[in-house]
Amino acid sequence: MFRSIGLRSETESAYYAQLSVSVSEEYSFLKKAFEANMDIANSTYNTAFIQGIRDGSLSPETYGSVSVLDAYYCYEAAKSIWHTCGRADENSELQVTLKKFYNSYAQYNGTFYSIWHVPAAQNVVPTNAFEIYAKHEREVAENELPIYLLPALMPCYKLWAWMAYKIYQDPKKTPGVYEFWVEGNMGHEGESGSATLADRVISKWIKDGKEFDEHKALTIFRKSMKCEYAVFSSQGNY
């Protein structure tokens, strides 16, 4: 379970150099959206699943079950991203970014086959929480302007890194066998490069005077945050 990284590190660093705008010092959609959802972020951190990672008490069966369910989400997310790529302007920074996200998901999804022997989403029977999450992103991909898929994806990238780094900083942590999860998801001191990259694309989009309804984007972001809480709080049980 390392989907918080979004882009692979080597892809991410190379693409940063190409992107023509930095996050505005006056405005960051990501910062505003995440701060507005700290209630959900803290609730998710306090779930039995994340606390089980923090103190190493999470059962391997639960971790394995959620990992297989996460495969369903990741396969479906890749489909939503690819669909949105086809709707975005050809060779735009948005489309190029989405293609890079898609390629990283495709690469990551390959690990589900090699580790869990799950070749495709149809091989997993999703719980209600995971199915709702996938449907949310699919609805955004199909019915909203392509730019709005980024707010739908960003909570995963940002929240996982934030939680992993929060565990890393906890002097009482004892993750044990889950140390790899903490180190693999915390990004750079809790900052997800993929979330920041998506934020830069949104900043560029706004700077160019393109349509962007902040209220709609915040609503989409919050729904994804709620979905993150649901998948962690359910622990694969419903």
mmCIF file of all heavy atoms in Angstrom, residues 124-160:
data_model
loop_
_atom_site.group_PDB
_atom_site.id
_atom_site.type_symbol
_atom_site.label_atom_id
_atom_site.label_comp_id
_atom_site.label_asym_id
_atom_site.label_seq_id
_atom_site.Cartn_x
_atom_site.Cartn_y
_atom_site.Cartn_z
ATOM 1 N N VAL A 124 -11.602 -8.618 -7.698
ATOM 2 C CA VAL A 124 -11.808 -8.237 -6.300
ATOM 3 C C VAL A 124 -13.276 -7.884 -6.087
ATOM 4 O O VAL A 124 -13.864 -7.165 -6.893
ATOM 5 C CB VAL A 124 -10.940 -7.023 -5.912
ATOM 6 C CG1 VAL A 124 -11.162 -6.649 -4.452
ATOM 7 C CG2 VAL A 124 -9.466 -7.304 -6.178
ATOM 8 N N VAL A 125 -13.858 -8.396 -5.027
ATOM 9 C CA VAL A 125 -15.220 -8.002 -4.645
ATOM 10 C C VAL A 125 -15.090 -6.851 -3.660
ATOM 11 O O VAL A 125 -14.692 -7.051 -2.507
ATOM 12 C CB VAL A 125 -15.987 -9.169 -4.003
ATOM 13 C CG1 VAL A 125 -17.393 -8.715 -3.590
ATOM 14 C CG2 VAL A 125 -16.070 -10.351 -4.952
ATOM 15 N N PRO A 126 -15.368 -5.618 -4.094
ATOM 16 C CA PRO A 126 -15.106 -4.456 -3.226
ATOM 17 C C PRO A 126 -16.107 -4.336 -2.091
ATOM 18 O O PRO A 126 -17.263 -4.750 -2.207
ATOM 19 C CB PRO A 126 -15.234 -3.272 -4.193
ATOM 20 C CG PRO A 126 -16.234 -3.739 -5.196
ATOM 21 C CD PRO A 126 -15.940 -5.209 -5.389
ATOM 22 N N THR A 127 -15.662 -3.778 -0.986
ATOM 23 C CA THR A 127 -16.582 -3.400 0.071
ATOM 24 C C THR A 127 -17.290 -2.122 -0.344
ATOM 25 O O THR A 127 -16.895 -1.453 -1.315
ATOM 26 C CB THR A 127 -15.833 -3.154 1.391
ATOM 27 O OG1 THR A 127 -14.881 -2.103 1.182
ATOM 28 C CG2 THR A 127 -15.128 -4.406 1.872
ATOM 29 N N ASN A 128 -18.308 -1.764 0.386
ATOM 30 C CA ASN A 128 -19.079 -0.563 0.077
ATOM 31 C C ASN A 128 -18.195 0.680 0.066
ATOM 32 O O ASN A 128 -18.305 1.530 -0.823
ATOM 33 C CB ASN A 128 -20.194 -0.403 1.106
ATOM 34 C CG ASN A 128 -21.147 0.725 0.770
ATOM 35 O OD1 ASN A 128 -21.714 0.775 -0.310
ATOM 36 N ND2 ASN A 128 -21.332 1.640 1.717
ATOM 37 N N ALA A 129 -17.280 0.780 1.038
ATOM 38 C CA ALA A 129 -16.432 1.967 1.156
ATOM 39 C C ALA A 129 -15.529 2.132 -0.061
ATOM 40 O O ALA A 129 -15.391 3.236 -0.603
ATOM 41 C CB ALA A 129 -15.582 1.876 2.424
ATOM 42 N N PHE A 130 -14.915 1.052 -0.499
ATOM 43 C CA PHE A 130 -14.017 1.136 -1.652
ATOM 44 C C PHE A 130 -14.795 1.376 -2.946
ATOM 45 O O PHE A 130 -14.337 2.099 -3.837
ATOM 46 C CB PHE A 130 -13.177 -0.138 -1.762
ATOM 47 C CG PHE A 130 -11.982 -0.142 -0.852
ATOM 48 C CD1 PHE A 130 -12.078 -0.635 0.438
ATOM 49 C CD2 PHE A 130 -10.766 0.366 -1.277
ATOM 50 C CE1 PHE A 130 -10.977 -0.629 1.294
ATOM 51 C CE2 PHE A 130 -9.663 0.380 -0.432
ATOM 52 C CZ PHE A 130 -9.766 -0.124 0.862
ATOM 53 N N GLU A 131 -15.962 0.768 -3.057
ATOM 54 C CA GLU A 131 -16.764 0.945 -4.264
ATOM 55 C C GLU A 131 -17.251 2.385 -4.390
ATOM 56 O O GLU A 131 -17.226 2.969 -5.486
ATOM 57 C CB GLU A 131 -17.953 -0.012 -4.249
ATOM 58 C CG GLU A 131 -18.748 -0.017 -5.546
ATOM 59 C CD GLU A 131 -19.793 -1.113 -5.595
ATOM 60 O OE1 GLU A 131 -20.199 -1.608 -4.516
ATOM 61 O OE2 GLU A 131 -20.209 -1.463 -6.713
ATOM 62 N N ILE A 132 -17.695 2.977 -3.282
ATOM 63 C CA ILE A 132 -18.148 4.371 -3.302
ATOM 64 C C ILE A 132 -17.007 5.301 -3.702
ATOM 65 O O ILE A 132 -17.204 6.242 -4.484
ATOM 66 C CB ILE A 132 -18.716 4.762 -1.921
ATOM 67 C CG1 ILE A 132 -20.063 4.084 -1.699
ATOM 68 C CG2 ILE A 132 -18.861 6.283 -1.803
ATOM 69 C CD1 ILE A 132 -20.636 4.294 -0.308
ATOM 70 N N TYR A 133 -15.811 5.034 -3.182
ATOM 71 C CA TYR A 133 -14.648 5.866 -3.513
ATOM 72 C C TYR A 133 -14.360 5.816 -5.010
ATOM 73 O O TYR A 133 -14.181 6.850 -5.667
ATOM 74 C CB TYR A 133 -13.441 5.365 -2.718
ATOM 75 C CG TYR A 133 -12.299 6.356 -2.577
ATOM 76 C CD1 TYR A 133 -11.216 6.041 -1.751
ATOM 77 C CD2 TYR A 133 -12.291 7.584 -3.236
ATOM 78 C CE1 TYR A 133 -10.156 6.932 -1.590
ATOM 79 C CE2 TYR A 133 -11.237 8.475 -3.077
ATOM 80 C CZ TYR A 133 -10.171 8.141 -2.257
ATOM 81 O OH TYR A 133 -9.133 9.025 -2.104
ATOM 82 N N ALA A 134 -14.328 4.611 -5.567
ATOM 83 C CA ALA A 134 -14.046 4.461 -6.993
ATOM 84 C C ALA A 134 -15.121 5.129 -7.846
ATOM 85 O O ALA A 134 -14.818 5.780 -8.855
ATOM 86 C CB ALA A 134 -13.938 2.979 -7.345
ATOM 87 N N LYS A 135 -16.378 4.995 -7.430
ATOM 88 C CA LYS A 135 -17.480 5.609 -8.181
ATOM 89 C C LYS A 135 -17.401 7.134 -8.125
ATOM 90 O O LYS A 135 -17.716 7.814 -9.108
ATOM 91 C CB LYS A 135 -18.819 5.127 -7.629
ATOM 92 C CG LYS A 135 -19.171 3.708 -8.049
ATOM 93 C CD LYS A 135 -20.555 3.314 -7.551
ATOM 94 C CE LYS A 135 -20.936 1.930 -8.042
ATOM 95 N NZ LYS A 135 -22.290 1.512 -7.559
ATOM 96 N N HIS A 136 -17.012 7.661 -6.980
ATOM 97 C CA HIS A 136 -16.851 9.117 -6.838
ATOM 98 C C HIS A 136 -15.859 9.638 -7.870
ATOM 99 O O HIS A 136 -16.132 10.600 -8.600
ATOM 100 C CB HIS A 136 -16.387 9.446 -5.429
ATOM 101 C CG HIS A 136 -15.804 10.810 -5.252
ATOM 102 N ND1 HIS A 136 -16.478 11.981 -5.590
ATOM 103 C CD2 HIS A 136 -14.578 11.211 -4.778
ATOM 104 C CE1 HIS A 136 -15.718 13.027 -5.332
ATOM 105 N NE2 HIS A 136 -14.560 12.584 -4.844
ATOM 106 N N GLU A 137 -14.690 9.012 -7.960
ATOM 107 C CA GLU A 137 -13.687 9.461 -8.919
ATOM 108 C C GLU A 137 -14.147 9.249 -10.357
ATOM 109 O O GLU A 137 -13.871 10.081 -11.224
ATOM 110 C CB GLU A 137 -12.363 8.743 -8.660
ATOM 111 C CG GLU A 137 -11.717 9.173 -7.357
ATOM 112 C CD GLU A 137 -10.333 8.601 -7.148
ATOM 113 O OE1 GLU A 137 -9.949 7.659 -7.874
ATOM 114 O OE2 GLU A 137 -9.626 9.096 -6.250
ATOM 115 N N ARG A 138 -14.850 8.156 -10.599
ATOM 116 C CA ARG A 138 -15.342 7.920 -11.960
ATOM 117 C C ARG A 138 -16.367 8.969 -12.368
ATOM 118 O O ARG A 138 -16.361 9.451 -13.508
ATOM 119 C CB ARG A 138 -15.951 6.517 -12.048
ATOM 120 C CG ARG A 138 -16.433 6.115 -13.461
ATOM 121 C CD ARG A 138 -15.302 6.117 -14.478
ATOM 122 N NE ARG A 138 -14.183 5.299 -14.024
ATOM 123 C CZ ARG A 138 -14.116 3.974 -14.158
ATOM 124 N NH1 ARG A 138 -15.104 3.311 -14.734
ATOM 125 N NH2 ARG A 138 -13.064 3.317 -13.739
ATOM 126 N N GLU A 139 -17.246 9.348 -11.449
ATOM 127 C CA GLU A 139 -18.244 10.374 -11.751
ATOM 128 C C GLU A 139 -17.590 11.715 -12.055
ATOM 129 O O GLU A 139 -18.024 12.437 -12.962
ATOM 130 C CB GLU A 139 -19.221 10.506 -10.579
ATOM 131 C CG GLU A 139 -20.171 9.324 -10.452
ATOM 132 C CD GLU A 139 -21.008 9.376 -9.191
ATOM 133 O OE1 GLU A 139 -20.819 10.325 -8.388
ATOM 134 O OE2 GLU A 139 -21.847 8.475 -8.991
ATOM 135 N N VAL A 140 -16.541 12.064 -11.306
ATOM 136 C CA VAL A 140 -15.812 13.303 -11.586
ATOM 137 C C VAL A 140 -15.149 13.208 -12.954
ATOM 138 O O VAL A 140 -15.193 14.151 -13.756
ATOM 139 C CB VAL A 140 -14.756 13.575 -10.497
ATOM 140 C CG1 VAL A 140 -13.880 14.770 -10.886
ATOM 141 C CG2 VAL A 140 -15.429 13.836 -9.153
ATOM 142 N N ALA A 141 -14.541 12.067 -13.248
ATOM 143 C CA ALA A 141 -13.840 11.880 -14.519
ATOM 144 C C ALA A 141 -14.781 11.999 -15.710
ATOM 145 O O ALA A 141 -14.407 12.535 -16.760
ATOM 146 C CB ALA A 141 -13.151 10.517 -14.538
ATOM 147 N N GLU A 142 -15.999 11.529 -15.552
ATOM 148 C CA GLU A 142 -16.939 11.490 -16.669
ATOM 149 C C GLU A 142 -17.789 12.750 -16.798
ATOM 150 O O GLU A 142 -18.204 13.103 -17.911
ATOM 151 C CB GLU A 142 -17.855 10.276 -16.528
ATOM 152 C CG GLU A 142 -17.131 8.947 -16.693
ATOM 153 C CD GLU A 142 -18.053 7.750 -16.526
ATOM 154 O OE1 GLU A 142 -19.210 7.954 -16.054
ATOM 155 O OE2 GLU A 142 -17.627 6.623 -16.841
ATOM 156 N N ASN A 143 -18.042 13.435 -15.690
ATOM 157 C CA ASN A 143 -19.044 14.503 -15.716
ATOM 158 C C ASN A 143 -18.531 15.911 -15.463
ATOM 159 O O ASN A 143 -19.250 16.877 -15.707
ATOM 160 C CB ASN A 143 -20.131 14.195 -14.679
ATOM 161 C CG ASN A 143 -20.820 12.869 -14.933
ATOM 162 O OD1 ASN A 143 -21.175 12.561 -16.061
ATOM 163 N ND2 ASN A 143 -21.014 12.085 -13.880
ATOM 164 N N GLU A 144 -17.295 16.040 -14.980
ATOM 165 C CA GLU A 144 -16.757 17.366 -14.674
ATOM 166 C C GLU A 144 -15.613 17.715 -15.635
ATOM 167 O O GLU A 144 -15.083 16.841 -16.327
ATOM 168 C CB GLU A 144 -16.248 17.419 -13.234
ATOM 169 C CG GLU A 144 -17.285 17.077 -12.170
ATOM 170 C CD GLU A 144 -18.412 18.095 -12.064
ATOM 171 O OE1 GLU A 144 -18.289 19.188 -12.661
ATOM 172 O OE2 GLU A 144 -19.400 17.803 -11.376
ATOM 173 N N LEU A 145 -15.241 18.997 -15.661
ATOM 174 C CA LEU A 145 -14.072 19.376 -16.440
ATOM 175 C C LEU A 145 -12.863 18.578 -15.955
ATOM 176 O O LEU A 145 -12.741 18.287 -14.760
ATOM 177 C CB LEU A 145 -13.797 20.870 -16.287
ATOM 178 C CG LEU A 145 -14.757 21.851 -16.951
ATOM 179 C CD1 LEU A 145 -14.363 23.292 -16.598
ATOM 180 C CD2 LEU A 145 -14.764 21.672 -18.463
ATOM 181 N N PRO A 146 -11.960 18.226 -16.851
ATOM 182 C CA PRO A 146 -10.818 17.372 -16.475
ATOM 183 C C PRO A 146 -10.015 17.880 -15.281
ATOM 184 O O PRO A 146 -9.489 17.077 -14.504
ATOM 185 C CB PRO A 146 -9.972 17.359 -17.750
ATOM 186 C CG PRO A 146 -10.972 17.502 -18.854
ATOM 187 C CD PRO A 146 -12.003 18.456 -18.311
ATOM 188 N N ILE A 147 -9.938 19.189 -15.088
ATOM 189 C CA ILE A 147 -9.142 19.744 -13.998
ATOM 190 C C ILE A 147 -9.644 19.266 -12.638
ATOM 191 O O ILE A 147 -8.873 19.148 -11.676
ATOM 192 C CB ILE A 147 -9.139 21.296 -14.047
ATOM 193 C CG1 ILE A 147 -8.107 21.876 -13.071
ATOM 194 C CG2 ILE A 147 -10.528 21.853 -13.793
ATOM 195 C CD1 ILE A 147 -6.682 21.560 -13.404
ATOM 196 N N TYR A 148 -10.943 18.942 -12.538
ATOM 197 C CA TYR A 148 -11.515 18.586 -11.241
ATOM 198 C C TYR A 148 -11.149 17.178 -10.780
ATOM 199 O O TYR A 148 -11.405 16.829 -9.620
ATOM 200 C CB TYR A 148 -13.031 18.760 -11.260
ATOM 201 C CG TYR A 148 -13.458 20.204 -11.366
ATOM 202 C CD1 TYR A 148 -14.075 20.682 -12.523
ATOM 203 C CD2 TYR A 148 -13.223 21.099 -10.330
ATOM 204 C CE1 TYR A 148 -14.451 22.009 -12.638
ATOM 205 C CE2 TYR A 148 -13.594 22.428 -10.428
ATOM 206 C CZ TYR A 148 -14.203 22.881 -11.586
ATOM 207 O OH TYR A 148 -14.567 24.199 -11.692
ATOM 208 N N LEU A 149 -10.537 16.379 -11.652
ATOM 209 C CA LEU A 149 -10.084 15.077 -11.176
ATOM 210 C C LEU A 149 -8.908 15.239 -10.217
ATOM 211 O O LEU A 149 -8.720 14.407 -9.324
ATOM 212 C CB LEU A 149 -9.679 14.174 -12.349
ATOM 213 C CG LEU A 149 -9.335 12.725 -11.946
ATOM 214 C CD1 LEU A 149 -10.549 12.039 -11.312
ATOM 215 C CD2 LEU A 149 -8.837 11.922 -13.139
ATOM 216 N N LEU A 150 -8.125 16.305 -10.375
ATOM 217 C CA LEU A 150 -6.993 16.511 -9.472
ATOM 218 C C LEU A 150 -7.438 16.673 -8.018
ATOM 219 O O LEU A 150 -6.869 16.035 -7.129
ATOM 220 C CB LEU A 150 -6.155 17.708 -9.927
ATOM 221 C CG LEU A 150 -5.448 17.548 -11.282
ATOM 222 C CD1 LEU A 150 -4.589 18.783 -11.578
ATOM 223 C CD2 LEU A 150 -4.583 16.287 -11.312
ATOM 224 N N PRO A 151 -8.445 17.509 -7.716
ATOM 225 C CA PRO A 151 -8.913 17.576 -6.324
ATOM 226 C C PRO A 151 -9.443 16.243 -5.806
ATOM 227 O O PRO A 151 -9.383 15.979 -4.605
ATOM 228 C CB PRO A 151 -10.030 18.631 -6.374
ATOM 229 C CG PRO A 151 -9.678 19.485 -7.534
ATOM 230 C CD PRO A 151 -9.084 18.553 -8.543
ATOM 231 N N ALA A 152 -9.951 15.399 -6.707
ATOM 232 C CA ALA A 152 -10.437 14.085 -6.289
ATOM 233 C C ALA A 152 -9.285 13.162 -5.918
ATOM 234 O O ALA A 152 -9.413 12.323 -5.022
ATOM 235 C CB ALA A 152 -11.268 13.452 -7.409
ATOM 236 N N LEU A 153 -8.139 13.315 -6.578
ATOM 237 C CA LEU A 153 -6.983 12.452 -6.350
ATOM 238 C C LEU A 153 -6.087 12.947 -5.216
ATOM 239 O O LEU A 153 -5.437 12.154 -4.525
ATOM 240 C CB LEU A 153 -6.137 12.363 -7.621
ATOM 241 C CG LEU A 153 -6.769 11.697 -8.844
ATOM 242 C CD1 LEU A 153 -5.881 11.907 -10.067
ATOM 243 C CD2 LEU A 153 -6.989 10.205 -8.594
ATOM 244 N N MET A 154 -6.035 14.246 -5.016
ATOM 245 C CA MET A 154 -5.069 14.840 -4.084
ATOM 246 C C MET A 154 -5.175 14.356 -2.633
ATOM 247 O O MET A 154 -4.148 14.202 -1.963
ATOM 248 C CB MET A 154 -5.166 16.373 -4.140
ATOM 249 C CG MET A 154 -4.670 16.962 -5.448
ATOM 250 S SD MET A 154 -5.213 18.671 -5.704
ATOM 251 C CE MET A 154 -4.021 19.562 -4.731
ATOM 252 N N PRO A 155 -6.379 14.106 -2.087
ATOM 253 C CA PRO A 155 -6.439 13.653 -0.696
ATOM 254 C C PRO A 155 -5.629 12.388 -0.432
ATOM 255 O O PRO A 155 -4.985 12.269 0.616
ATOM 256 C CB PRO A 155 -7.940 13.411 -0.480
ATOM 257 C CG PRO A 155 -8.583 14.423 -1.367
ATOM 258 C CD PRO A 155 -7.726 14.410 -2.614
ATOM 259 N N CYS A 156 -5.662 11.455 -1.362
ATOM 260 C CA CYS A 156 -4.860 10.240 -1.201
ATOM 261 C C CYS A 156 -3.385 10.588 -1.084
ATOM 262 O O CYS A 156 -2.696 10.140 -0.157
ATOM 263 C CB CYS A 156 -5.085 9.322 -2.401
ATOM 264 S SG CYS A 156 -3.848 8.030 -2.567
ATOM 265 N N TYR A 157 -2.881 11.397 -1.996
ATOM 266 C CA TYR A 157 -1.458 11.733 -1.998
ATOM 267 C C TYR A 157 -1.059 12.492 -0.733
ATOM 268 O O TYR A 157 -0.041 12.202 -0.112
ATOM 269 C CB TYR A 157 -1.114 12.580 -3.230
ATOM 270 C CG TYR A 157 -1.497 11.968 -4.552
ATOM 271 C CD1 TYR A 157 -1.847 12.777 -5.628
ATOM 272 C CD2 TYR A 157 -1.517 10.592 -4.743
ATOM 273 C CE1 TYR A 157 -2.193 12.226 -6.852
ATOM 274 C CE2 TYR A 157 -1.868 10.043 -5.961
ATOM 275 C CZ TYR A 157 -2.210 10.866 -7.010
ATOM 276 O OH TYR A 157 -2.557 10.329 -8.222
ATOM 277 N N LYS A 158 -1.861 13.460 -0.357
ATOM 278 C CA LYS A 158 -1.524 14.316 0.783
ATOM 279 C C LYS A 158 -1.756 13.615 2.117
ATOM 280 O O LYS A 158 -0.899 13.639 3.013
ATOM 281 C CB LYS A 158 -2.344 15.609 0.708
ATOM 282 C CG LYS A 158 -2.204 16.533 1.919
ATOM 283 C CD LYS A 158 -0.787 17.043 2.089
ATOM 284 C CE LYS A 158 -0.697 17.994 3.277
ATOM 285 N NZ LYS A 158 0.694 18.471 3.482
ATOM 286 N N LEU A 159 -2.930 12.994 2.286
ATOM 287 C CA LEU A 159 -3.302 12.416 3.578
ATOM 288 C C LEU A 159 -2.366 11.289 3.991
ATOM 289 O O LEU A 159 -1.938 11.226 5.147
ATOM 290 C CB LEU A 159 -4.747 11.911 3.529
ATOM 291 C CG LEU A 159 -5.269 11.241 4.807
ATOM 292 C CD1 LEU A 159 -5.282 12.237 5.962
ATOM 293 C CD2 LEU A 159 -6.662 10.661 4.577
ATOM 294 N N TRP A 160 -2.043 10.396 3.073
ATOM 295 C CA TRP A 160 -1.194 9.268 3.419
ATOM 296 C C TRP A 160 0.187 9.744 3.867
ATOM 297 O O TRP A 160 0.745 9.240 4.845
ATOM 298 C CB TRP A 160 -1.061 8.319 2.232
ATOM 299 C CG TRP A 160 -2.266 7.472 1.974
ATOM 300 C CD1 TRP A 160 -3.577 7.864 1.992
ATOM 301 C CD2 TRP A 160 -2.270 6.079 1.662
ATOM 302 N NE1 TRP A 160 -4.391 6.813 1.685
ATOM 303 C CE2 TRP A 160 -3.624 5.704 1.481
ATOM 304 C CE3 TRP A 160 -1.277 5.122 1.496
ATOM 305 C CZ2 TRP A 160 -3.993 4.405 1.147
ATOM 306 C CZ3 TRP A 160 -1.643 3.826 1.160
ATOM 307 C CH2 TRP A 160 -2.986 3.475 1.001
#
